[in-house]
Every structure is written in C-alpha cells, then in structure tokens.
Amino acid sequence: MSSPDEQPGGHPYAQGGYPPPPAKRPSAFASVPVRDYLTDALALLLLLISLGLGWDYRYTAGERIEVVLVTVVSMLSLSLFYLARFGALPRGWTNRTVLGARALANLPYVLLVAVYLVLDTGVAFREQVVGEVVPGGIGPAVAVGLAGVAVAAGPRVAELGSARTVEAVTAWTRRALVALLAVAVALQVLSLAELTTNLDLLLRVDGGWGLALASFVGIVLVTVVVGLPLLLVVRHSAPWRWVLLAVAITATVWFVFYGPYHGEQPGSGFHTAASVASGHVGYVVLPAAGAVILFPVWPRLVRPVAPPEREWFGVAERSWLSVVAVAAGSALVQLLVVVTSGTTGAGIEGWRVVAVVVLLLAGLAAFVARTVHTGDPAAGRPAAIVATVVVAALGIVVLALTGEDHARDIGTVDLTLLLVAFGLPVLAAVALLGPAPVRAWYAVHGGAVREPWTGESQPSFAHPVPTGVPTQASAPVVPVAEPTPVAEPVAAPVPEQVDELTHPRSTPPTGSLPAVADPAAPEPTPTVPLQRTEPDVAGVGEVAQPVPEAEPVPEAEPLPEEEPTWFDEYADVEPVGEPPVAAPVAAPVAAVPPVAPAHPFTAAQASDPATDLEVLAAIAAQAPELRVHLASNPSTYPDLLEWLGRLGDPAIDAALANRRR
C-alpha cells in the first residue's frame, strides 16, 4: 500500500481529502457596539457622583451605610453583561435572564428611595421635625442615584437580539415611565395636601394668603413641568420625548451642582434638599425619566412622524410653548410674593419686580418665535432663531437677579429658571439647525421670502411667476397646460427578518428616494415631494384651448390620519398684487412660450461635482428632466445611482452605462 505522498495528485490535503482547519472563533464582544460601553460608563459615573451629594437635610449619601451598600450592589450589576460574554454565568442563561438579574440587583436601591420618600412625607406632616435619625428631605443624591440605577438596569443594544426580548423590554420600559409619572404626581398631591393642612397657620401670619397662593402656584408649576412631558411621552408623542429629554438633562445638571452652588461642604451637618413640605419633590424623578427614554427601544415607544423634518419643527414649537408656560408660571409666583410684601409693609424687593418683567418678556419672545415659524417655516426661521436667543439672554438675566438671594432661600434658583435660560431655548435652536432632515429641507426652501404684510389679503387668480423669468406686459396671456406631476416610486416593504430595533413593526416605511450616505447623521435624508400644480384658468375675454388629457398617473398613498399641511406645498414664490387682465386675442398666436420650470435647479447645478448631496436628492425628486445630469455627475452617491437605474429611462441608462466605462 502506497503512502499518501506516493498517490497520484500529491498529498490528500491538496485534493481536499482532509477537512480544512477550523475557522477562528469570533470574539464574544465583536457584536457589542460602542454605545453599550458608554452606557456602562455613564451608569458608573452617576452612581459615584451621587455618593458625594446630600441624601437628606443632614447627611450625604456616603454617610449613610445603607445607601453605600445598595450603591455598591448597583455598580456590581454592571459586570453581568461582561460575565455572560466571558462564559462565567450558567450555560442556560439568555439575554433575558441577564436583563432580569441586573434589574433585580438594582431593585434594592429603588426600594430604599421609596422608604426615604415615606419618611420625608411623615416629617412634613408633623408639627415638630424628628431628630437626627430621620431629618427629612430628599437630597440631590437621590435623583442622581436613581438616574444611575435606571441606566444600569436598562437594556444594551447587544442584548436585544430577538423579537421576543425587544417586545418584553418595550413593555417594561413603558411601565417604568408610567410608574415615574405616578410617583411624581403622587408626591405633588402630597405637597398640596401638606399645604392645605397648614393653611390655617399661614393665614394667621401677615400676608399669609399671598404666600399660600404662591406656594399653590409653585406646586402646580412643578407638576406641569414634570408630569406633562411624561404624560405625552406615555401617549406616544415623538416631539415631546425630546422636550422631556431636555428637561431631564437640565434637571440632572441642576442636581449635581445644587449643593456646590449654595456653598455646601461634605460633613457640614446641613444640606439643601427638596421635600414634600417645599413642593419641589416631584423633580426627583426627572433624571431617571431621561435615562429611561434613552433606552435602545425608544422608537417603539413613540409614533413616527413623516416627513422627518416635521418632527423637528414640532420639537421647536413645543419648546417655545413650554417656555411660555414656564415663564408665565414663574412670573406669577414672583408677582404674588411682590404683592404680599407690599401689603405687609415689609418693603418690595426691586429685583423681584424686574424679574417679573423680564420673565414676561421671555415668554413673549418665545410666543413670537413660535408664531413666525408656524406661519412660514422657511421665511420665519431667522426671526425664530433671533427670538430664541433673546429668550436665553432674558433667562440668564433672571438667573443673575435671583442668584443674589440664594443664601436666604434654598430654592431660589429653581429648575424652571434654568429651563427658560438654557434647557428649552437650546433644544429649539438645535431642532432648527442640527438635524440632517431639517438642513436638507432648508437647502431647498431656505430662499423663500415672506410676503410683506398689507393688513388684508387680496384675491389672486393668476399663476405664480417663477423667480428670474422676465414677463412682458404687452404679450397676451395664453393658457398653457401644466405638466403632469410624476408620482414617486413607493419604497419596498421591510422584510420580516429585519431587526425590530431599526424597523419597528409599528413604523410604516416612508420615503422613496435613497438616503444620503452620511455617517455623521443617523437619520435618512428626507424625501422632497413634488410641487403641486393648479388647473388652468382662462383670462378675461379668452377661450380656453382644449388640452389633451394626459395619461393618469397613480399618486402616492397618503399617510393615515394626516391632514394636508404646509409640508405638501413647495412653491417658492406666491402671486402678489392684482391679477393681470389679458387683452383680447386679435390674431392667432404663432408660438407658445416655453413653460418655466417649477423648481430653482439648473442643469449646471445637477452636473456640478461640488453640489451638496442633499441638493442632489432634492433635484432627483423635484426636477425629472435633470435626472440624466445626475447620472453623469461623479459626485452622485451610490444609493441615488441605483434608484436612477430602476426608473427605466433610456437616456438615464445610457448615462449610467457611460459612467461605468
């Protein structure tokens, strides 16, 4: 028997007689995105920061042994994610098992916070404060620590591999938001009950009625700031999710720097804190609520808004509306204190009067911003941005006025003032300037000019005249058939095996144009719909020429339960002045003037390699006659080239073929 080396064809390994060497086993962390590591780092940071903040009126979190123990347990729960990938956990554990174990490890912290909330409520309803054992108060450490616990117990992207896990996490996330809303409202109701209980004592003091009204308005204002965004997010509002996130981030910063702002030192024996007795205790749930709405399953918690820029415009408008409500409520509180001081003879503090005026001006500026942007988003954006900057400047003025009195009142610089100065104006500015869909929309509509206000609207029956096209007054008006709008192709449905996180079942597929390949922007480039057309109207003394009927083209199916809005209109110039009266036609017209294009784009712009990708997408949607130039443009991105190839246009196919040579 011959050896393998003597067999014809050489060694059996060369002929495939031996199996190939085993492939290298991939790393257990190969599918873990950077976001998951940042999530663990954020949870650890929040928990560590909370240990140095005040837990109640007398102690910091680090001075309470029970708080330190539950904080350490929450920190250790972060290791379960890594132990599971190292194979150190039981073989039968799944992602859902790890999620449940991590949630149970953070449950003691939540129960400890509930105990201290009950103790603070008991102290608030007693006539005498209990001694050192239960001093009362809910310090900033509670709010920051709860946020850290929410981040630690939340899901990671790498753990959401199956549809069943996604559904379970989505349900528990919604329950967590409902629980936070219920806790906040219950705490504020207890504050209102405590105020009612002590009402007799307040009314016996000079000016007590004013203080009682100011306290009542303050409790209602806190309830609105905390409860309204949470309630609307529970009801699946996408724009209000961003408002809640801005409020939560502002509240977290406020809690972290709450003690240092008032000059506190660790071990001083007295720390600033909220309480059921002060009416601000509802703020304690805001940082945790902000952490929950950042979970990876958040697209399933809200209804999608199409087109994408509409959601961001809604975010800006709700931010301005929130500024109006918060500024008006804060001004009312300060006004009640001023009136009370005047009736008691204690003297009116001048800075409070100035604060009332400045807060009212800030609310007025926010109202103006919302009005001009809602009426005309394209032409009203500059004025809206200027008004937003004015709101922030006035809010900073109020902070400077109230900051001088912080030594006498631990709640002087309230969260509402920080929202007027920073949180809400910054959100409105980011919504108008930052997202890629908004920038793409303004790239097409940014040149619109607002029509001057004349006091009354004048009827017009003429067609809009495109910018840059000269008109001749002596030429007769000839009715010309409008071009038939071309419906855009409908996007293909998402297959069933697509990941539920990126394509939730509740999200309908939107958009027909391919997205611009921009790694810095996760949102796809918005689809720009075609411009609407109007039927021809014959002038005075004219006879409308018969126009052959064009072949009907199916229109894109509208979104369900959506009324036509300004997003469907894309005319750049509106008719101004009286409609021109056409002269009688004396002789047959030799030639019909060409119809001006209903868009601002040119062939040179479509062929220029320096044209922005967003503008190229807009040209493909709005200028069908220029698509052949897009096929020849070397800067046209691959997704758009693929989309052009599916149109079946011979000229476009020829340009694409030349491109491949």
Side-chain angles (χ1 to χ4, degrees), residues 451-452 454 458-460 462-465 573-580:
E451 180 180 350
T454 58
Q458 300 179 0
S460 175
H463 293 292
V465 181
V573 180
E574 297 181 356
V576 181
E578 295 292 340

Side-chain angles (χ1 to χ4, degrees), residues 2 46 211 226 230 246 283 334 425-426 482 501 506 585 590 647 660:
S2 60
L46 291 173
L211 296 176
V226 180
L230 258 174
Y283 287 150
Q334 297 292 343
V426 170
E482 294 287 338
L501 292 178
S506 60
V585 180
L647 297 179
R660 301 187 189 101

